[in-house]
């Protein structure tokens, strides 16, 4: 497991002195990038090869959210490669070693020229040391949607939302979707399915569905193309 030990800083917490789910995703993204950098297969190396890892889905379960000043350890490891897909776990432990968050993620290797998935090459596979899957209740990466959704006020993708691929950052989608949750809604689990990338200037239309035990928020483009599906469980 690659580990990143760090304190929770003031700029990472909200009004309740706790990080939120979007910040948890930032921790996870940073941890996986640092591991890949250390192994010589990080984002800049991928740029040279004309390839990029694109996030397909998250399943994140949080028992409690880290607080300001707390020391945490963020960890990650890949546990399988299948064709163009890489499967990776993440965890957050507190200072006593207690596990306070765990996650599963699915990534796809994309050729930036064609925009299409390509099989993970041997160099990538050999760079990582795979480990057993984290113990958690794994759910599917696809989030089925049906029924009526409430259409909310459109938003515009700004420059602040973009990552190095010039797409809306994975955590930004979640931060936007969280705005449509009730006040003081405490997220225990989130599932996210990324379907199409949003870019600078795109208009996104949020749509919300409240069901027993879950809230689903879609972010779709004006033509109806769904960019991301988020499913929150309290």
């Amino acid at each position: 497991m690659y580990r990143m030990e760090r304190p929770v800083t003031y700029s990472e917490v909200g009004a309740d002195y706790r990080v939120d789910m979007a910040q948890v995703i930032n921790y996870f993204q940073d941890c996986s990038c640092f591991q890949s950098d250390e192994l010589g297969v990080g984002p800049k190396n991928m740029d040279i090869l004309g390839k990029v890892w694109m996030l397909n889905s998250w399943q994140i379960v949080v028992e409690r959210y880290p607080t300001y000043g707390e020391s945490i350890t963020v960890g990650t490891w890949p546990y399988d490669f299948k064709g163009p897909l890489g499967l990776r776990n993440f965890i957050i432990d507190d200072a006593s070693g207690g596990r306070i968050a765990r996650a599963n993620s699915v990534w796809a290797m994309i050729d930036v020229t064609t925009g299409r998935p390509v099989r993970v090459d041997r160099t990538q596979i050999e760079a990582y040391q795979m480990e057993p899957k984290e113990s958690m209740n794994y759910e599917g990466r696809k989030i089925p949607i049906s029924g009526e959704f409430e259409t909310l006020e459109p938003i515009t993708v700004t420059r602040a939302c973009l990552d190095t691929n010039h797409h809306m950052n994975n955590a930004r989608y979640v931060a936007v979707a969280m705005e449509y949750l009730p006040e003081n809604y405490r997220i225990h689990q989130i599932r996210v399915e990324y379907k199409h990338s949003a870019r600078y200037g795109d208009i996104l239309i949020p749509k919300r569905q409240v069901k027993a035990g879950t809230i689903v928020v879609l972010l779709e483009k004006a033509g109806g193309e769904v960019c991301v599906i988020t499913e929150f469980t309290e």
Side-chain angles (χ1 to χ4, degrees), residues 16 25 31 39 87 92 104 142 187 192 211 216-217 232:
D16 60 356
I25 291 175
C31 192
L39 298 174
L87 287 71
I92 299 177
N104 184 47
K142 296 288 187 180
I187 305 166
V192 187
K211 301 189 295 186
V216 177
V217 178
F232 300 97

Side-chain angles (χ1 to χ4, degrees), residues 5-17:
E5 297 181 8
R6 64 187 320 285
V8 176
T9 67
Y10 182 79
S11 61
E12 295 168 342
V13 301
D16 60 356
Y17 285 89

Side-chain angles (χ1 to χ4, degrees), residues 119-184:
R119 179 175 290 274
V120 181
D121 59 70
R122 181 56 55 181
T123 302
Q124 288 279 329
I125 296 173
E126 292 178 350
Y128 296 99
Q129 179 179 345
M130 287 188 285
E131 299 182 38
K133 295 171 65 174
E134 171 70 359
S135 177
M136 59 184 290
N137 179 28
Y138 287 80
E139 299 194 35
R141 61 189 177 96
K142 296 288 187 180
I143 303 174
I145 55 173
S146 62
E148 297 297 320
F149 280 78
E150 174 189 5
T151 300
L152 304 167
E153 193 70 22
I155 63 168
T156 302
V157 178
T158 64
R159 291 186 182 91
C161 295
L162 304 182
D163 61 17
T164 56
N165 299 312
H166 306 286
H167 301 156
M168 191 167 176
N169 184 279
N170 297 319
R172 289 281 186 169
Y173 290 105
V174 172
V176 169
M178 287 167 56
E179 289 295 318
Y180 306 105
L181 298 176
E183 189 175 1
N184 299 321

Side-chain angles (χ1 to χ4, degrees), residues 5-207:
E5 297 181 8
R6 64 187 320 285
V8 176
T9 67
Y10 182 79
S11 61
E12 295 168 342
V13 301
D16 60 356
Y17 285 89
R18 299 178 185 275
V19 306
D20 62 14
M21 182 62 80
Q23 181 57 47
V24 168
I25 291 175
N26 283 330
Y27 288 150
F28 289 162
Q29 290 185 141
D30 289 346
C31 192
S32 63
C33 285
F34 288 149
Q35 182 191 31
S36 298
D37 286 340
E38 187 174 284
L39 298 174
V41 289
K44 289 186 175 180
N45 303 86
M46 298 290 284
D47 284 346
I48 295 171
L49 298 174
K51 297 178 183 178
V52 64
W53 282 108
M54 299 289 288
L55 185 58
N56 182 284
S57 68
W58 282 116
Q59 180 191 355
I60 304 172
V61 180
V62 176
E63 302 303 333
R64 70 170 182 86
Y65 289 86
T67 59
Y68 169 61
E70 182 178 1
S71 294
I72 60 171
T73 298
V74 186
T76 187
W77 66 95
Y79 64 84
D80 201 4
F81 292 99
K82 297 179 179 179
L85 301 180
L87 287 71
R88 177 183 282 273
N89 282 136
F90 294 85
I91 57 92
I92 299 177
D93 288 346
D94 61 22
S96 65
R99 190 136 301 174
I100 57 177
R102 48 177 52 84
N104 184 47
S105 63
V106 180
W107 304 72
M109 180 170 282
I110 304 295
D111 184 304
V112 297
T113 302
T114 65
R116 299 186 64 82
V118 292
R119 179 175 290 274
V120 181
D121 59 70
R122 181 56 55 181
T123 302
Q124 288 279 329
I125 296 173
E126 292 178 350
Y128 296 99
Q129 179 179 345
M130 287 188 285
E131 299 182 38
K133 295 171 65 174
E134 171 70 359
S135 177
M136 59 184 290
N137 179 28
Y138 287 80
E139 299 194 35
R141 61 189 177 96
K142 296 288 187 180
I143 303 174
I145 55 173
S146 62
E148 297 297 320
F149 280 78
E150 174 189 5
T151 300
L152 304 167
E153 193 70 22
I155 63 168
T156 302
V157 178
T158 64
R159 291 186 182 91
C161 295
L162 304 182
D163 61 17
T164 56
N165 299 312
H166 306 286
H167 301 156
M168 191 167 176
N169 184 279
N170 297 319
R172 289 281 186 169
Y173 290 105
V174 172
V176 169
M178 287 167 56
E179 289 295 318
Y180 306 105
L181 298 176
E183 189 175 1
N184 299 321
Y185 186 95
R186 188 56 59 89
I187 305 166
H188 174 58
Q189 175 177 280
I190 185 174
R191 295 170 65 206
V192 187
E193 181 185 350
Y194 298 93
K195 297 175 72 67
H196 296 282
S197 297
R199 298 174 180 270
Y200 172 65
D202 283 346
I203 306 298
L204 297 181
I205 303 171
K207 295 186 176 182

